Amino acid sequence: TTINASSHIGNLVNNVGSGWDGWIDEVRISTSVRAVDWVATEYSNQNNPSGFYSVGALEDNLPTVAAAGADQDICGSLITTLDGNEATVGVGTWTQVSGPGTITFGDVNVYNTTSTADVYGTYELQWEIVNGSCSTNDQVIINYAEGAAAGPDQDICDALVATLAGNDPSVGTGTWTQVSGPGTITFGDVNVYNTTATADVYGTYELQWEIVNGSCSTNDQVTINYAEGAAAGPDQDICDALIATLAGNDPSVGTGTWTQVSGPGTITFGDVNVYNTTATADVYGTYVLQWEIVNGSCSTNDQVTINYAEGAAAGPDQDICDALIATLAGNDPSVGTGTWTQVSGPGTITGGDVNV
C-alpha cells in the first residue's frame, strides 16, 4: 500500500484521534516501491521464519536483461548494423570495449544502430541497459575484414616464378588458388599474401586470392604472364644465296620482333613478328639480327649472326702463250675464305697465294 500524509495504521475510533482497534506485530515503511515477490517473501518469513528464505528483488526496478546479439563477420566493409535487444525497462547504451581502431555509433542509445570502424580488425562492443541503480550488459564481437585484393597483373620475362602482391588480411584467412593456365602453379605458401607462384610451363595464368572471415568471404583475381626469354637461334652460314630462314623461339605470351642490328646492306624480313620468318639480304656479307620478345612491361632480346657468302667463281678460262704464268680471276668472297687447288694437269701448279 502506498501511504501519504493523511494515511493511518489501524482503525480510527469515532473518526477521531489515532486509536488502534487491534494488535500491530510489525510495520515496515519504505520509500521504494517493493516487488510483489518481495512482499510475498517477507509475509512468509513472518509466518515461518525458520523454514522460509527470502527470494526475489527488493525493489521493482530491474532493467531489461541486455543482449548484444550474435557475433558478426563483416567482409569488405567497415560498417555493420548491430542487433542488441530493445530496452523495455531502462536505457540502453553501446560502448566500445576493445579493437584496433575507433568505432563510431549511429546512435549509442539505439539497440539496432550502425557501428562504423575506422580500420579493419576485431572489435568487442558492449550493450548495457541501465534502470536507476541497476544495470545489465552483454558483449558482441565484430570482425571487420578487408575485401580481397590480389594485386596488379604481372608480366614476367625469362622466368617461371613471380612474387604475388595480395593484401594481408587483418582478420580471417587468405588462400591462393589457380583459376586457369596452360600448366600448374606451385605456391610457396597458399595462405601468405605475398608468396611466390612458380609455373611449370610458360604462358598466361589467372590466380585467385580469397579471404574467408568466418561466415563471409571475398575474392579477387590476378593475371600473371610468364614469357620465355628471347632466343634468336644459332648463327648461320649461307652459301651462294641471299636468303636465310631464321630460327627464333615462338613466344607463349608477348610479341616477338626481328630487327637488323648491323650488316653491309639491308635485310628484308618476310614478317618481322614471326619467329621463323625469312631474312633476305641485298648484298653479301655478315649481318647481325635481333629477336626481341616484349611481354607487357618487360622484354628480352637475343642476337644471331648470318653470314651470306657468294658462290665461288673461278673466272673465265684462259689461253696463255709463250709463258708459264697466269693471273687468276676468281671472285673475292665477302665472307668466308677462298682457296685455290690444282685439279689436274701434266705438271704442278705453284700459286702466289692459294687464298687470294
Side-chain angles (χ1 to χ4, degrees), residues 327-340:
T327 299
L328 302 177
N331 60 331
D332 186 13
S334 301
V335 292
T337 302
T339 303
W340 287 104

Side-chain angles (χ1 to χ4, degrees), residues 21-296:
D21 184 12
W23 292 270
I24 297 175
D25 177 63
E26 182 177 343
V27 175
R28 295 190 182 185
I29 299 176
S30 173
T31 58
S32 300
V33 177
R34 299 300 183 176
V36 173
D37 284 346
W38 182 87
V39 174
T41 297
E42 290 303 305
Y43 173 79
S44 297
N45 278 333
Q46 298 304 314
N47 287 332
N48 184 15
S50 64
F52 198 85
Y53 298 92
S54 178
V55 297
L58 292 179
E59 298 182 0
D60 197 10
N61 64 345
L62 289 180
T64 303
V65 177
D71 294 342
Q72 296 185 42
D73 300 311
I74 308 301
C75 289
S77 176
L78 285 167
I79 186 170
T80 187
T81 299
L82 300 176
D83 192 28
N85 60 327
E86 186 172 8
T88 55
V89 177
V91 177
T93 304
W94 284 105
T95 55
Q96 177 180 345
V97 177
S98 64
T102 300
I103 292 292
T104 301
F105 298 100
D107 186 327
V108 295
N109 300 122
V110 174
Y111 68 100
N112 60 349
T113 191
T114 56
S115 168
T116 304
D118 58 352
V119 295
Y120 290 98
T122 297
Y123 293 78
E124 184 177 5
L125 311 180
Q126 178 172 281
W127 176 235
E128 182 178 33
I129 299 177
V130 177
N131 184 33
S133 61
C134 296
S135 66
T136 64
N137 63 68
D138 189 34
Q139 291 76 41
V140 64
I141 300 295
I142 310 292
N143 297 307
Y144 297 90
E146 301 89 342
D153 295 340
Q154 296 187 43
D155 301 310
I156 307 299
C157 288
D158 199 21
L160 284 167
V161 61
T163 299
L164 301 176
N167 59 330
D168 188 12
S170 301
V171 293
T173 302
T175 304
W176 285 106
T177 54
Q178 178 180 344
V179 177
S180 64
T184 300
I185 293 290
T186 300
F187 297 100
D189 187 325
V190 295
N191 301 123
V192 174
Y193 68 102
N194 61 349
T195 192
T196 56
T198 303
D200 58 351
V201 295
Y202 289 100
T204 297
Y205 294 77
E206 185 177 5
L207 311 180
Q208 177 172 282
W209 177 235
E210 181 179 34
I211 297 177
V212 176
N213 175 30
S215 58
C216 67
S217 66
T218 59
N219 62 69
D220 189 36
Q221 291 76 42
V222 63
T223 297
I224 311 292
N225 297 307
Y226 298 89
E228 301 89 341
D235 295 339
Q236 297 186 44
D237 299 312
I238 306 300
C239 293
D240 198 21
L242 285 167
I243 186 170
T245 299
L246 302 176
N249 60 330
D250 188 12
S252 300
V253 293
T255 302
T257 304
W258 285 106
T259 55
Q260 179 180 343
V261 178
S262 64
T266 301
I267 292 291
T268 301
F269 297 99
D271 186 327
V272 294
N273 300 122
V274 174
Y275 68 102
N276 61 350
T277 192
T278 56
T280 303
D282 58 353
V283 295
Y284 290 100
T286 297
Y287 294 78
V288 176
L289 309 180
Q290 178 172 280
W291 178 235
E292 181 179 35
I293 297 177
V294 176
N295 175 30

